[in-house]
Amino acid sequence: MEIDDVPMDEKAKRMRDLLSSFYAPDASMSSSSMGSSNRYTSPLEAINTTSFNPDQYMSILVQKSNLEGLLQRHVEMAAEIKNLDTDLQMLVYENYNKFISATDTIKRMNNNIVGMETNMEQLLEKILSVQSRSDGVNTSLFEKREHIEKLHRTRNLLRKVQFIYDLPARLGKCIKTEAYADAVRFYTGAMPIFKAYGDSSFQDCKRASEEVIAVVLKNLQEKLFSDSESIQTRAEAAVLLKQLDFPVDSLKAKLLEKLEQSTLDLQVNAEDLSSALVNGSSKDGSTSELVYGASHEASVREFAEAVRAYRVIFADSDRQLIKLAQDLVTKHFDATEQFIKKQICAADLLLVFGIIWTDVLLLGEVLNDAGLPDYSLKAAQVAVKQYVKCKFSRLLQDISDALTQVHTRKKEGAQEYSLQLALEATKKAVLQGSMDVLLDFRQLLEDKSGLIINQRDSIVDWVQEGFQDFFRALVDRFMLLSGKNNSYSQSQVLTEATQAEKVIAGLVLVLAQISVFIEQTAIPRITEEIAASFSGGGIRGYEYGPAFVPAEICRMFRAAGEKFLHLYINMRSQRISILSTKRFRTPNWVKHKEPREVHMFVDLFLQELEAVGSEVKQILPQGTRKHRRTDSNGSTTSSRSNPLREEKLNRSNTQRARSQLLETHLAKLFKQKIEIFTRVEFTQGSVVTTLVKLSLKTLQEFVRFQTFNRSGFQQIQLDMQFLRTPLKEIADDEAAIDFLLDEVIVAASERCLDSIPLEPPILDKLIQAKLAKAKDQNSISP
């Protein structure tokens, strides 16, 4: 026995060697086995081999072991010897029963064989006797058997002759009953006889049969080209014509044209039934079986049988038939794409897929090599991807429609459309619309039909990619609606339409707030839903990264919201800037008359701020008011409104001109530093305050470009003093408002030829007169 290289313990090795020595046929095999183990054992381990050297073993053992080790080895060896004796004794006992059983079996075999040779000799004698008698019977019946066989052949020949003579009548009966298959079978069966004896003995029968079969050929051709006959009947007629050696190859193109026409009819039926499916499912919830109908299934089955017959007739027509079936499936999916554009729901799409899958299975039974299931699965992937894309496009359009209501109502001159309504409608379109879209897509994932069952990972990827692209497109659409579309590639028609109309500032404010809503509310909610129902995917590959990145979308909408908020402030400030331009560039300030009242510009300015306040109250949260004068720890008034400045304004023009610059710089050194422009927050106060600051800063710049006489300077002083109280009520930062109003007055004094201010009593009198006039106007107006 061969020795394996696998390590074994001592007992296993000993048992194997023992069995090998016991069952070895000779000593040479046992010795070879033992010798082979020497290659893998050391002298100390070779004690169980035939090449064991006691002297060498003892010398090595004495060298390597001490007295205690030798005693221990003695005890172990004595135990091993005892175990070997026990194992050998048990081995002998176990094999003793087998030896006894083998001996008994041999004895029984010897007893059974006794007498068998005599029986075999008797059997051989009986077989020889039977063989001799059989030969005698065959010899006596040979002549009669030959005679019977001859008569039988004669009888068969007479039957054939009778069949030939009766053939014309049989064919005539088949024509009357339209059993053309039997007629062809009878005639083709008689053809060998007609070929052999048709010109001699059976000439009349052959001529009569040919006349009748000519009628059969004519009738079969009529059936083949009759439009009233079914495709299956025409196919059977073609088979019979082919059996009659009629040149049916010329009919191949015509039959294929008939099949193509039938596919057109099936497509028309599929369109009608699918349209009924959409209408029925949306109204009364009809099931797919009810809408599909038995007529369409019967038509498809008939077409499948016609294809089967066509394959039988024309064995080399698989390529044309496969293309025909694939074209039919393609037309089904073309119709499905048209339905998808009509914004059908997922349930209707699945029912249409059920119709297509039924047709594919019916045709696949006939055209196994066409690969229609795989072909339809690829087409279904395209259709589902288009469906997902159309859903997101529709959602984007719904959000745009909700936003453009502001444009539409304004253009139609209807009653003012509340910005708050537009905001709420847009929020609902974003959040509820996204949830509805996810619910629709979940129905696709839960479907187990043939066209959808293997597309789960693809649908998950398409949905995640779709949301990522949808929100990017939504940001672009927001930019387009706000008028900032220069860096975006939108449709030219939509761009021209947007540029043709003036963008409403309120819409930009709605866009800013809806961007914040999407970042803080919509994206987390959609992310949770995607994680719960649309996790997995991975078809797109890990090298492209995750399909849906909420953090990136939040960053986009955060940046977009800030842009829209600044754009809104800029748009409103531009309107005020236009008012300021007309105010300061129209009059001749050098020849300005003495002020009698607050200028109308102040009313227009406050009206613009009131409009801004009305818009922000509808859209933005109130927030907290900051920089109130009561909360300030130091003086927040301008250095130019202190007693030093009042005294300076009363000096003579010559003295003031010399000391004004020096005093201005000295005052700035001791005044408290005021932060004019801070970060704009999404609150009412922050937006209004920022707009007021920008407007006052604009007024200051306009003042610096003008030259005033004393009356012009006093008019500016009166207007700014009147604005002080209402602006403090509107804005949060009173300190900055005071500072900027003082800066406008000082800038006017710097540009004034004779900057003598109005006396405080006169100033108060003019302001009170304006307030009284405004109160009267408010009481008169309804």
Side-chain angles (χ1 to χ4, degrees):
M1 296 179 65
E2 267 188 358
I3 299 176
D4 297 334
D5 295 339
V6 180
M8 303 176 65
D9 56 7
E10 290 296 332
K11 184 175 182 181
K13 289 181 180 179
R14 184 175 66 251
M15 183 61 67
R16 186 189 62 183
D17 295 340
L18 185 62
L19 293 176
S20 176
S21 62
F22 181 81
Y23 286 106
D26 52 23
S28 62
M29 179 177 294
S30 176
S31 63
S32 64
S33 175
M34 295 300 181
S36 63
S37 65
N38 287 335
R39 297 193 304 268
Y40 306 99
T41 59
S42 62
L44 292 177
E45 296 176 352
I47 191 171
N48 294 324
T49 62
T50 57
S51 60
F52 174 66
N53 189 346
D55 297 333
Q56 183 182 7
Y57 178 83
M58 285 300 301
S59 64
I60 294 174
L61 189 62
V62 169
Q63 292 175 2
K64 291 185 177 182
S65 303
N66 52 17
L67 179 59
E68 184 178 356
L70 291 174
L71 292 176
Q72 181 66 27
R73 183 58 183 160
H74 169 72
V75 174
E76 292 176 355
M77 189 173 293
E80 290 178 358
I81 294 172
K82 185 176 181 180
N83 290 335
L84 286 174
D85 293 341
T86 302
D87 293 341
L88 183 61
Q89 185 178 6
M90 291 180 63
L91 186 65
V92 172
Y93 287 162
E94 289 176 357
N95 286 278
Y96 181 73
N97 292 330
K98 297 180 181 178
F99 294 150
I100 294 176
S101 177
T103 303
D104 295 340
T105 302
I106 293 172
K107 288 182 180 180
R108 286 196 300 272
M109 289 178 62
N110 290 332
N111 295 332
N112 293 335
I113 291 174
V114 175
M116 185 177 292
E117 186 176 355
T118 304
N119 295 333
M120 295 298 294
E121 291 177 356
Q122 294 177 359
L123 179 62
L124 179 60
E125 292 177 358
K126 292 180 180 180
I127 291 173
L128 293 175
S129 175
V130 170
Q131 182 179 3
S132 61
R133 293 181 181 180
S134 174
D135 293 339
V137 171
N138 290 334
T139 302
S140 61
L141 297 178
F142 178 74
E143 295 181 357
K144 293 182 179 180
R145 184 183 298 109
E146 289 290 333
H147 182 66
I148 291 172
E149 290 180 356
K150 182 178 180 179
L151 292 177
H152 182 69
R153 288 194 295 270
T154 303
R155 179 173 178 273
N156 290 337
L157 182 60
L158 291 175
R159 284 184 175 180
K160 291 180 180 180
V161 171
Q162 185 64 37
F163 176 80
I164 295 299
Y165 280 111
D166 294 340
L167 182 60
R170 288 175 179 268
L171 294 178
K173 292 180 180 179
C174 290
I175 292 175
K176 291 180 180 180
T177 59
E178 295 186 355
Y180 298 110
D182 293 338
V184 172
R185 180 167 56 84
F186 294 154
Y187 182 75
T188 54
M191 284 298 295
I193 297 177
F194 285 150
K195 289 181 179 179
Y197 306 103
D199 296 334
S200 58
S201 303
F202 303 105
Q203 185 175 3
D204 295 337
C205 292
K206 179 181 178 182
R207 184 171 57 254
S209 298
E210 289 178 347
E211 292 176 356
V212 178
I213 209 66
V215 177
V216 172
L217 286 172
K218 180 181 178 181
N219 294 342
L220 289 176
Q221 293 182 43
E222 290 178 355
K223 284 184 172 293
L224 183 62
F225 296 104
S226 176
D227 294 333
S228 60
E229 298 292 340
S230 65
I231 297 178
Q232 180 64 28
T233 303
R234 293 197 297 268
E236 292 177 356
V239 173
L240 296 177
L241 289 173
K242 189 175 182 179
Q243 292 177 1
L244 294 174
D245 295 332
F246 188 84
V248 295
D249 291 338
S250 61
L251 306 176
K252 182 177 181 180
K254 294 183 179 179
L255 287 176
L256 187 60
E257 183 179 355
K258 292 288 185 181
L259 289 176
E260 291 177 352
Q261 183 63 37
S262 65
T263 59
L264 296 177
D265 296 338
L266 286 176
Q267 176 58 26
V268 171
N269 293 336
E271 254 184 350
D272 295 340
L273 289 172
S274 299
S275 300
L277 168 64
V278 174
N279 296 331
S281 62
S282 61
K283 293 179 180 179
D284 55 3
S286 300
T287 61
S288 59
E289 293 80 6
L290 181 61
V291 177
Y292 182 64
S295 59
H296 179 74
E297 184 176 358
S299 300
V300 175
R301 289 186 181 276
E302 184 179 354
F303 175 76
E305 293 300 325
V307 171
R308 191 195 306 275
Y310 193 90
R311 292 186 68 188
V312 173
I313 301 170
F314 308 105
D316 57 345
S317 61
D318 286 350
R319 184 172 60 86
Q320 293 89 341
L321 293 176
I322 290 174
K323 184 177 182 301
L324 193 64
Q326 290 177 350
D327 290 342
L328 177 60
V329 175
T330 302
K331 291 175 182 177
H332 280 323
F333 281 103
D334 290 341
T336 303
E337 291 180 1
Q338 297 300 321
F339 299 141
I340 290 175
K341 293 179 181 179
K342 297 178 182 179
Q343 301 300 323
I344 62 175
C345 63
D348 292 342
L349 178 65
L350 293 175
L351 293 179
V352 174
F353 277 172
I355 295 175
I356 298 175
W357 186 245
T358 302
D359 294 350
V360 168
L361 293 180
L362 292 175
L363 294 176
E365 294 177 357
V366 180
L367 298 173
N368 296 326
D369 300 334
L372 291 181
D374 295 336
Y375 183 82
S376 60
L377 286 175
K378 293 180 180 179
Q381 285 184 344
V382 176
V384 173
K385 190 172 183 179
Q386 182 194 9
Y387 176 76
V388 174
K389 183 178 180 181
C390 288
K391 276 294 182 181
F392 283 115
S393 298
R394 184 60 184 175
L395 179 59
L396 181 63
Q397 188 60 42
D398 291 342
I399 297 172
S400 299
D401 293 342
L403 287 170
T404 52
Q405 288 293 326
V406 180
H407 271 297
T408 306
R409 299 295 179 87
K410 202 88 173 181
K411 183 178 178 181
E412 294 176 354
Q415 188 177 2
E416 184 178 358
Y417 185 61
S418 173
L419 295 180
Q420 186 176 5
L421 293 179
L423 177 63
E424 295 301 326
T426 307
K427 287 182 178 179
K428 182 178 180 181
V430 172
L431 187 56
Q432 188 60 42
S434 299
M435 293 298 104
D436 292 342
V437 166
L438 288 172
L439 180 62
D440 217 38
F441 293 154
R442 194 184 304 139
Q443 293 184 16
L444 296 180
L445 291 182
E446 294 173 353
D447 186 71
K448 304 298 182 182
S449 61
L451 292 177
I452 300 293
I453 190 171
N454 294 326
Q455 297 190 38
R456 188 187 187 283
D457 292 339
S458 298
I459 293 174
V460 169
D461 281 344
W462 293 336
V463 171
Q464 294 184 4
E465 291 176 2
F467 266 110
Q468 190 77 10
D469 297 338
F470 161 73
F471 283 115
R472 288 173 180 168
L474 188 59
V475 171
D476 294 344
R477 183 64 60 90
F478 284 179
M479 291 293 180
L480 180 64
L481 292 174
S482 67
K484 298 178 68 65
N485 59 334
N486 295 330
S487 61
Y488 299 91
S489 56
Q490 280 84 8
S491 172
Q492 185 65 25
V493 177
L494 187 57
T495 302
E496 293 177 357
T498 304
Q499 292 178 348
E501 297 180 4
K502 188 177 182 181
V503 177
I504 301 175
L507 175 60
V508 178
L509 187 60
V510 172
L511 292 175
Q513 186 61 20
I514 199 65
S515 299
V516 175
F517 171 78
I518 292 175
E519 176 202 354
Q520 298 179 355
T521 304
I523 297 300
R525 176 74 183 279
I526 293 172
T527 303
E528 292 177 1
E529 187 66 23
I530 290 177
S533 303
F534 295 89
S535 60
I539 300 297
R540 58 183 263 124
Y542 293 101
E543 64 274 11
Y544 297 104
F548 181 64
V549 186
E552 178 184 351
I553 299 173
C554 290
R555 286 193 299 269
M556 288 191 303
F557 279 97
R558 187 183 307 115
E562 294 176 354
K563 286 182 181 179
F564 295 140
L565 192 61
H566 286 91
L567 177 60
Y568 172 76
I569 295 174
N570 291 335
M571 293 173 67
R572 282 302 185 182
S573 63
Q574 286 174 7
R575 290 177 59 88
I576 297 176
S577 178
I578 294 173
L579 292 177
S580 302
T581 302
K582 294 179 180 179
R583 172 70 182 111
F584 286 96
R585 292 183 180 179
T586 301
N588 186 354
W589 290 98
V590 179
K591 299 180 180 180
H592 200 280
K593 296 180 181 181
E594 183 179 353
R596 299 295 182 183
E597 62 178 356
V598 178
H599 195 271
M600 183 179 59
F601 163 76
V602 175
D603 296 332
L604 298 177
F605 179 67
L606 293 177
Q607 288 177 6
E608 289 293 332
L609 294 181
E610 184 181 356
V612 172
S614 176
E615 290 177 348
V616 297
K617 286 180 181 178
Q618 296 182 63
I619 303 301
L620 299 178
Q622 186 173 4
T624 57
R625 294 179 65 88
K626 300 178 294 183
H627 299 289
R628 304 300 296 175
R629 185 174 299 278
T630 55
D631 299 334
S632 178
N633 294 325
S635 174
T636 58
T637 60
S638 172
S639 62
R640 302 178 187 182
S641 64
N642 56 24
L644 178 61
R645 185 177 63 84
E646 296 293 340
E647 181 181 355
K648 180 193 67 174
L649 291 177
N650 292 325
R651 292 176 185 175
S652 63
N653 295 335
T654 305
Q655 292 175 344
R656 184 175 61 254
R658 285 197 225 107
S659 61
Q660 186 178 34
L661 182 60
L662 178 60
E663 292 177 355
T664 301
H665 286 286
L666 288 174
K668 287 184 177 179
L669 292 175
F670 294 101
K671 73 180 181 68
Q672 180 183 4
K673 184 179 179 181
I674 298 176
E675 188 177 5
I676 302 298
F677 296 104
T678 58
R679 182 177 180 273
V680 184
E681 299 178 356
F682 287 85
T683 60
Q684 301 174 15
S686 178
V687 173
V688 174
T689 302
T690 303
L691 182 59
V692 171
K693 291 177 180 179
L694 285 174
S695 301
L696 294 179
K697 213 45 173 162
T698 303
L699 289 177
Q700 181 182 358
E701 295 302 320
F702 275 112
V703 168
R704 287 177 177 174
F705 282 98
Q706 302 296 329
T707 302
F708 302 91
N709 62 0
R710 179 192 302 175
S711 299
F713 165 67
Q714 291 175 352
Q715 183 67 57
I716 297 297
Q717 180 192 7
L718 175 61
D719 294 344
M720 295 302 105
Q721 190 65 28
F722 179 81
L723 285 173
R724 200 175 296 273
T725 300
L727 291 184
K728 290 179 182 179
E729 294 177 355
I730 294 175
D732 289 345
D733 196 348
E734 294 183 1
I737 299 303
D738 279 334
F739 176 80
L740 291 172
L741 288 171
D742 291 339
E743 287 292 316
V744 175
I745 297 173
V746 172
S749 69
E750 292 174 351
R751 298 294 298 170
C752 181
L753 300 176
D754 184 16
S755 57
I756 298 177
L758 287 171
E759 296 294 334
I762 299 175
L763 194 63
D764 293 338
K765 181 179 179 181
L766 294 175
I767 292 175
Q768 292 300 324
K770 178 63 177 178
L771 293 175
K773 183 179 179 181
K775 183 177 181 181
D776 294 338
Q777 290 178 352
N778 292 334
S779 61
I780 295 174
S781 60

